Amino acid sequence: MNPICLCLNFLFIRRLHVSAAFNAKAKVAMSRFEPGTSISYEKLHENIDIVRKRLNRPLTLSEKIVYGHLDDPVGQDIARGRTYLRLRPDRVAMQDATAQMAMLQFISSGLPKVAVPSTIHCDHLIEAQIGGVEDLKRAKEVNQEVYNFLATAGAKYGVGFWKPGSGIIHQIILENYAYPGVLLIGTDSHTPNGGGLGSICIGVGGADAVDVMAGIPWELKCPNVIGVKLTGSLSGWTSPKDVILKVAGILTVKGGTGAIVEYHGPGVDSISCTGEAKRYDFSHLLVAGMATICNMGAEIGATTSVFPYNHRMKTYLNKTGRADIAALADEHKDDLVPDKGCKYDHVIEINLSELKPHINGPFTPDLAHPVSEIGAVAEKNGWPLEVKVGLIGSCTNSSYEDMGRAASLAKQALDKGLKCKAAFTVTPGSEQIRATIERDGFSKILRDVGGVVLANACGPCIGQWDRKDVKMGEKNTIVTSYNRNFTSRNDANPATHAFVTSPEIVTALAIAGTLKFDPETDYLTAANGEKFKLEPPNGDELPARDFDPGQDTYQHPPAESGSVMVDVSPTSTRLQLLEPFDKWNGKDLEDLQVLIKVKGKCTTDHISAAGPWLKFRGHLDNISNNMLIGAINIENDAVNKIKNRLTGEYGGVPDVARHYKANGLSWVVVGDDNYGEGSSREHAALEPRHLGGRVILVKSFARIHETNLKKQGMLPLTFADPTDYDKIRPDDKLSITGLATFAPGKPLKGVVKHGDGSQDIITLNHTFNENQVEWFHAGSALNRMKELQ
């Protein structure tokens, strides 16, 4: 071979080697638990490029990530707030309470394995009672049947299983699975927590998760994009939690519905407060703080929230063992930040330099007050001033940074001979956080000041709290660093006034024991009588000695699962295999009885309570006994007391519904605005369907709940004229006509039949698309999936 040919041959071989090396470098696993998967920023970029050229405009970050996961970027109709997108999410995450029904539905699908990486996280079923060790041990005993089902189902169908004690699903995702640009769906409303790491993480119902696990394109109404421009810098007692508390006050609990909230502006990357050592150094908005803000975006009804990729995210990825992902994200940074000149549907601007510490509540997370004013507001409204319990942690605020800031205040109190006047609980976000704060001494400080360190689980945040210090019905105040404070949410006591604020404000108020305490201006009295002020809290974002991983709590699904058995006992009170719902019979829905006309706020907590009912999340018939027991009946202002129109007697809502079903009488629920806000729990949609419901008719829906109802073959409808709500009487019957030509964008007609023989004709709107109409015809989305197999 001549020298020229040899040279060319050498160059060709070298090019092949370089190309192979580049491709090998580009193959970065989505997580250390899934070495066989890889992040495909190339595919994301390709889709973004196609859509940008089609739309001929700059894209927001939200659009880049969402449109970057389109099933058909070339042909997909894209119009914010109008069209439905068909998407290919990268992964699925399920918490144990919702995973039961999700896995039962997946089993019903008949598919052998999940099509995308999926995980189950055991965090909801652990009740807070004594302390972390004791509570976890008891939970493993009480929930053994459920944990065994989830572990074996995970092993059988290729789903990773995080054992009880691992931590809260959203913190585990942040530490292990979220990364810039990923599209993740989770069966929990606070899945958006992952937006703190530049992810689009969306809360859904279990049926949506089944679609993704089955490899079917997942539908999402094309979100609007709300921009929150951050300027200035945080300092002193003000924390990232105050950003979302302020935003909640501005947008209210339904102001973000149908939209992604995208944070941007100079305040994201340059939130500085350097100087005195005792002032918190917000040299940049930290990942934990960004996650907190995104997490609580669920409280404004937002589809999700997100921050642009920045060097803080890179640092966090490095610290959590994902330097390869950080390096890859650096290479593709242009696709992980908004385009210059992109347009938002609505913009809110918050000057962080002027933002003051906030506290929101009671009874709703959007009732915002500056901490400096809450004492006077409470006095004026007759809210109890004494703080009975302060609770820090939860998926919203349980990072290393949060725990460190709280410990810095506790240490100041201890140095002055003080302990908390209120009871005080601490919930670490994960086993990694628990082990690290134990090692670094934070846990001891928090215990010494009077705190009880609970299990790495949701606990009181979701009502898993065996509270003993007040009697049911006793008026009292608690302050938490949680995200949600609906009536009875934390302790099942409707008289508990729950307030949401930052962990540092919770700690300060627990030390002072009263709402009438502003740590920025007010003094405490030391054990020796000296007056002193708490210095602003301080804490490191990440541990100097890296994280202590603690106990290994992850179960890999086996490579071969043929011998794995998933048993559900027919006599179990906690697990029940599903029977398919009946198909639509091709006729209009005639003479539906109004089961209950709901007055005012009706969240998923009102429709399907949590707390002690969590143990039945895998047994549809048993958990249906909690259907709408928290809703207020407009007829008598009573809870769980409605008139049975067949017998004339009063009974509980589920009891009357069962009686109607047994007698062949289908029914309708009539509700108010933002019906179904709150948790993603699809049981709030499954239970009405199971007990004979056909229609939910309201002024407006929360996004997740409306989708969940469609998935189960229900008809979620809204009044074209919201004042028509007033025309419906509790004893009315309602017929839905026009179903023979049921189609997207075409309203239905309602015939309201009153007891006196008169009628009202009303127009009813819906948001069904063509695929969703097929769900209704088939009786449920799962039935339709089987038809297509």
Side-chain angles (χ1 to χ4, degrees):
M1 186 177 293
N2 66 52
I4 294 176
C5 290
L6 283 171
C7 184
L8 290 173
N9 191 48
F10 172 78
L11 289 173
F12 177 71
I13 293 171
R14 177 174 173 79
R15 185 174 295 169
L16 283 178
H17 285 166
V18 170
S19 176
F22 177 79
N23 288 333
K25 178 185 176 184
K27 296 292 183 183
V28 174
M30 292 172 67
S31 84
R32 62 189 175 92
F33 302 105
E34 296 142 354
T37 66
S38 60
I39 296 171
S40 182
Y41 280 139
E42 292 80 9
K43 179 65 175 175
L44 184 76
H45 177 78
E46 180 184 327
N47 285 5
I48 291 170
D49 201 40
I50 291 169
V51 173
R52 187 189 286 113
K53 288 175 181 175
R54 283 185 55 203
L55 299 181
N56 193 29
R57 62 172 173 80
L59 300 178
T60 66
L61 171 60
S62 309
E63 291 180 305
K64 285 184 175 183
I65 301 176
V66 172
Y67 303 162
H69 286 83
L70 285 170
D71 182 52
D72 178 15
V74 174
Q76 172 72 60
D77 189 14
I78 301 171
R80 285 188 195 170
R82 294 203 304 275
T83 59
Y84 279 86
L85 306 178
R86 291 169 64 80
L87 302 168
R88 292 285 184 177
D90 297 301
R91 64 180 312 117
V92 172
M94 301 167 280
Q95 40 94 335
D96 50 357
T98 51
Q100 295 172 63
M101 195 57 67
M103 292 309 296
L104 286 166
Q105 291 177 88
F106 188 82
I107 291 169
S108 296
S109 75
L111 296 169
K113 292 281 184 184
V114 296
V116 301
S118 304
T119 50
I120 294 169
H121 304 258
C122 294
D123 61 357
H124 272 56
L125 300 179
I126 302 169
E127 184 182 49
Q129 189 180 77
I130 301 170
V133 175
E134 299 91 339
D135 294 346
L136 179 58
K137 180 181 178 182
R138 186 178 68 257
K140 289 179 178 178
E141 295 170 355
V142 171
N143 302 308
Q144 181 180 9
E145 178 187 17
V146 172
Y147 290 149
N148 181 63
F149 166 72
L150 294 174
T152 55
K156 182 74 173 178
Y157 298 103
V159 179
F161 180 70
W162 287 84
K163 302 172 187 177
S166 302
I168 305 172
I169 177 172
H170 312 303
Q171 185 66 28
I172 296 292
I173 289 172
L174 200 69
E175 293 172 356
N176 299 279
Y177 299 115
Y179 60 82
V182 71
L183 176 59
L184 177 151
I185 69 165
T187 60
D188 189 280
S189 58
H190 293 103
T191 301
N193 190 81
L197 207 47
S199 311
I200 291 291
C201 299
I202 301 175
V204 300
D208 278 0
V210 172
D211 281 355
V212 180
M213 291 191 291
I216 296 173
W218 173 62
E219 287 191 342
L220 176 71
K221 194 168 190 178
C222 188
N224 290 316
V225 187
I226 297 173
V228 178
K229 183 178 181 181
L230 302 179
T231 61
S233 57
L234 292 168
S235 63
W237 285 86
T238 309
S239 77
K241 184 68 165 267
D242 298 306
V243 175
I244 186 58
L245 294 175
K246 179 71 173 179
V247 170
I250 294 169
L251 288 177
T252 77
V253 290
K254 63 177 183 176
T257 303
I260 294 177
V261 179
E262 185 172 311
Y263 292 86
H264 65 284
V268 172
D269 279 328
S270 58
I271 299 183
S272 58
C273 172
T274 55
E276 307 121 280
K278 292 184 178 179
R279 289 170 69 84
Y280 185 35
D281 178 12
F282 274 104
S283 56
H284 285 75
L285 191 56
L286 311 178
V287 167
M290 292 187 283
T292 292
I293 292 167
C294 292
N295 177 297
M296 205 175 154
E299 271 42 77
I300 56 172
T303 301
T304 192
S305 302
V306 68
F307 278 84
Y309 180 63
N310 58 35
H311 87 271
R312 280 296 178 184
M313 295 181 189
K314 179 178 180 178
T315 301
Y316 185 83
L317 288 167
N318 288 335
K319 276 284 189 178
T320 51
R322 294 175 285 174
D324 52 349
I325 296 179
L328 194 63
D330 274 347
E331 293 178 18
H332 297 271
K333 183 174 181 179
D334 286 348
D335 290 331
L336 305 174
V337 296
D339 285 343
K340 187 175 182 180
C342 66
K343 301 296 183 184
Y344 298 99
D345 295 285
H346 176 52
V347 176
I348 297 168
E349 185 166 332
I350 296 178
N351 185 337
L352 300 173
S353 300
E354 298 174 356
L355 184 63
K356 302 299 289 183
H358 271 64
I359 183 168
N360 288 21
F363 307 125
T364 184
D366 59 348
L367 186 58
H369 321 273
V371 170
S372 59
E373 298 174 10
I374 188 62
V377 174
E379 281 186 318
K380 179 181 177 181
N381 288 286
W383 302 335
L385 286 174
E386 180 190 3
V387 174
K388 284 285 189 180
V389 191
L391 305 100
I392 65 169
S394 89
C395 64
T396 323
N397 278 105
S398 55
S399 66
Y400 182 83
E401 171 200 354
D402 292 324
M403 296 295 135
R405 297 196 75 189
S408 75
L409 296 173
K411 180 68 165 58
Q412 292 180 54
L414 289 169
D415 289 345
K416 297 292 185 179
L418 297 184
K419 290 191 175 185
C420 291
K421 289 184 178 178
F424 188 49
T425 71
V426 180
T427 303
S430 67
E431 169 61 9
Q432 179 169 270
I433 296 295
R434 182 210 62 78
T436 306
I437 66 171
E438 194 72 53
R439 180 199 69 193
D440 292 352
F442 296 167
S443 294
K444 183 179 187 306
I445 293 170
L446 295 169
R447 288 191 192 98
D448 287 348
V449 84
V452 175
V453 179
L454 300 174
N456 316 321
C458 300
C461 183
I462 60 161
Q464 283 284 55
W465 184 15
D466 185 19
R467 190 178 180 191
K468 303 291 189 184
D469 64 301
V470 296
K471 295 178 181 178
M472 187 60 65
E474 181 180 341
K475 196 174 177 181
N476 73 100
T477 284
I478 64 173
V479 291
T480 82
S481 70
Y482 303 162
N483 41 44
R484 200 162 276 166
N485 60 343
F486 302 141
T487 303
S488 304
R489 166 81 177 184
N490 303 120
D491 60 2
N493 182 0
T496 294
H497 293 55
F499 294 85
V500 176
T501 186
S502 65
E504 42 268 54
I505 295 295
V506 172
T507 305
L509 295 180
I511 293 167
T514 176
L515 284 179
K516 205 168 184 180
F517 177 72
D518 178 4
E520 288 192 299
T521 60
D522 295 342
Y523 288 80
L524 294 169
T525 303
N528 64 3
E530 172 194 352
K531 298 288 185 180
F532 74 100
K533 280 174 62 177
L534 291 170
E535 294 287 343
N538 61 82
D540 295 328
E541 176 194 15
L542 298 166
R545 291 189 284 162
D546 293 331
F547 285 106
D548 182 336
Q551 299 179 37
D552 183 7
T553 53
Y554 179 72
Q555 172 186 293
H556 287 271
E560 296 295 330
S561 60
S563 62
V564 177
M565 298 297 294
V566 183
D567 291 324
V568 176
S569 169
T571 60
S572 173
T573 61
R574 297 195 62 178
L575 296 167
Q576 180 185 49
L577 292 175
L578 297 174
E579 296 291 333
F581 290 129
D582 60 311
K583 293 184 178 182
W584 176 57
N585 63 8
K587 301 177 182 178
D588 286 337
L589 297 173
E590 296 285 349
D591 294 331
L592 303 176
Q593 179 65 58
V594 173
L595 177 70
I596 179 174
K597 183 178 179 182
V598 178
K599 179 181 177 181
K601 184 188 283 282
C602 190
T603 71
T604 49
D605 281 288
H606 295 89
I607 304 167
S608 177
W613 292 95
L614 283 171
K615 60 179 173 286
F616 298 125
R617 284 285 182 87
H619 197 293
L620 179 55
D621 194 55
N622 281 346
I623 199 169
S624 292
N625 290 322
N626 77 357
M627 186 191 74
L628 285 160
I629 62 174
I632 297 174
N633 180 8
I634 200 169
E635 185 178 22
N636 54 14
D637 282 338
V639 172
N640 201 27
K641 184 179 180 182
I642 61 172
K643 190 172 185 178
N644 186 322
R645 306 298 167 179
L646 296 179
T647 67
E649 299 176 351
Y650 281 86
V653 182
D655 300 322
V656 174
R658 286 184 187 277
H659 187 257
Y660 288 168
K661 181 181 179 181
N663 285 274
L665 179 61
S666 297
W667 47 263
V668 55
V669 170
V670 179
D672 212 317
D673 265 319
N674 207 32
Y675 184 91
E677 72 172 279
S679 296
S680 68
R681 63 193 67 155
E682 66 187 315
H683 300 77
L686 280 160
E687 293 171 29
R689 184 76 163 96
H690 176 64
L691 295 184
R694 291 294 179 181
V695 174
I696 308 294
L697 174 58
V698 301
K699 293 181 182 177
S700 65
F701 282 102
R703 175 190 63 86
I704 298 177
H705 187 60
E706 182 181 25
T707 301
N708 287 347
L709 289 166
K710 292 177 184 178
K711 287 275 185 178
Q712 303 308 334
M714 294 285 286
L715 267 182
L717 304 174
T718 56
F719 296 101
D721 179 357
T723 63
D724 284 344
Y725 169 88
D726 300 321
K727 293 179 180 178
I728 297 184
R729 305 167 191 168
D731 62 341
D732 283 345
K733 289 191 175 181
L734 176 69
S735 294
I736 308 297
T737 64
L739 289 175
T741 57
F742 185 29
K746 185 177 181 180
L748 296 169
K749 184 184 291 184
V751 181
V752 184
K753 302 177 182 179
H754 305 302
D756 61 7
S758 62
Q759 293 185 358
D760 280 301
I761 308 298
I762 58 177
T763 301
L764 307 175
N765 291 336
H766 65 85
T767 61
F768 281 76
N769 63 25
E770 290 180 0
N771 288 332
Q772 294 168 350
V773 170
E774 291 176 350
W775 300 346
F776 174 74
H777 289 161
S780 72
L782 190 58
N783 287 357
R784 181 59 179 158
M785 182 191 298
K786 289 180 180 178
E787 289 178 355
L788 295 173
Q789 284 183 26

